[in-house]
Amino acid sequence: MKNIRKTSGILLCLLACLGALSACGKEESNEPFTYRAPAAKQEEEKADTEEDTQDFVIEQMDMVGETMTLYAPESERQVRYAYTLGTRFMDKYGDSYSSIHFTPGQVVQIGDITAASALSSVKMSDQVWNQTDVTNYKIDMEKGIFTIGQTQYRITSNTMAFSQDASISLDMIGTDDTLQVIGKDKEVWSVIVTTGHGYIQLQNSSIFVDSMICIGNRIFTKITGDMLLEVPEGTYAITVANKGYGGTGTYTVARGETTLVDLDQLKGSGPKVCQLTVTSEVAGASVYIDGQQITVGQAVPVTYGSHTLKVVAEGYDDWQKTLIVNSESATISLDLAESESTTGDKQSEEDTSTSSDTGKSSGSSNSSTNSNKSTGSTSKSSSSRSSSSKTSDSSSSSLTDTDYLTTISKMLSTLLDEN
């Protein structure tokens, strides 16, 4: 089966809730990139029934591919599942919880797999102990003992440690670090270094509630109100768009301090529209925005905010995404991409398309979420846990006038190179 891919002028951001933050706090590159849309009709793989009640440590959150890699210490299994904007994220009590809290090292329980091959829910586990702001500790690697205050816990071969959402070894933790430690019974499951974090406090968010906020090139989460968000210290381009309003501002988060972000200052005047053009090399392709068919190659006005883009062509998988529009004009170019039969062919073809499409970005300010059937993302992995914890830094460039697209371009280019 063939699928439709996007190259071009509008950069896609597959939003999810919590991504790797290894590049946060660094200035970001505005390189263009190519994204290959996944086929929508591959065979779906369901989660095992027993996994519904297991506790998993989050090893990696891939916001671009909208997948999370999980490890179950009790069964020593590593799995990877897709999630979407429709996935419900909950705290340990079952109440809605921002996806920004679901970072590597947290322990969760998962729900069923939906018809779209994505997790229906992810919930913070209520079966583990969780100690935050831990400063009085001692790590004895030789004896395998982690002491918090006067209480000793066991370090096992399954104990994991994370800093800036990247996997690290326990011996990299310094005596002056502040930690979050999670475990079950007398075993330590994960240790998270929280030193160097600060906070973003949203204000006047009413017009943007239920839309997405983009913080730098790694953090994308739904706005639920005047939220307090914990992020690594650094300078970020923060972007919002909804109901015809939107904009981008640059903010600096200092260690241990709270930065106020007044969304009234970002929304600007409005309602504003984007002149959106969709071009395609797919013969007979039908393109729909919010369910209404548009003419390929002809600009149409689209208000700032969230919109559904769908492409249908005979002989190809349907391709659907949620666009976050935040610019005066944008162009989306669609061409054909056949499904690859081998890993080697896939790598070769993606490397070629990425190279040949370099420089086609129009600098438009839009993104999209992966709301199609992203099959192939729901999968189990038998590889070692260390292989899932690799993260890549972004190269530096100016944050000035960045938006949903430019802030994530380097991250997605890196992802394609790794795949």
Side-chain angles (χ1 to χ4, degrees), residues 167-180:
S167 178
I168 62 172
S169 60
L170 282 172
D171 56 15
M172 294 176 63
I173 297 175
T175 56
D176 295 330
D177 283 327
T178 300
L179 309 177
Q180 178 182 6

Side-chain angles (χ1 to χ4, degrees), residues 45-77:
E45 182 173 355
K46 303 299 182 181
D48 291 338
T49 303
E50 65 269 19
E51 289 181 356
D52 295 346
T53 57
Q54 282 193 69
D55 289 310
F56 293 91
V57 178
I58 299 176
E59 287 197 84
Q60 188 177 51
M61 290 287 291
D62 178 3
M63 289 186 174
V64 180
E66 290 188 310
T67 64
M68 59 173 58
T69 303
L70 308 171
Y71 182 74
E74 292 171 311
S75 62
E76 297 186 338
R77 295 189 63 201

Side-chain angles (χ1 to χ4, degrees), residues 190-203:
S190 70
V191 181
I192 306 168
V193 179
T194 57
T195 305
H197 283 207
Y199 302 89
I200 291 174
Q201 175 67 64
L202 302 185
Q203 293 181 328

Side-chain angles (χ1 to χ4, degrees), residues 219-275:
I219 307 175
F220 305 93
T221 191
K222 182 179 290 187
I223 298 174
T224 59
D226 290 349
M227 307 161 61
L228 181 66
L229 307 173
E230 182 178 355
V231 298
E233 61 182 329
T235 299
Y236 300 92
I238 297 180
T239 301
V240 290
N242 197 37
K243 298 179 180 178
Y245 297 86
T248 298
T250 301
Y251 298 84
T252 297
V253 179
R255 178 179 304 190
E257 298 184 5
T258 299
T259 298
L260 298 179
V261 177
D262 187 346
L263 298 189
D264 269 347
Q265 297 178 1
L266 291 184
K267 74 176 185 180
S269 59
K272 293 176 282 190
V273 298
C274 167
Q275 293 298 321

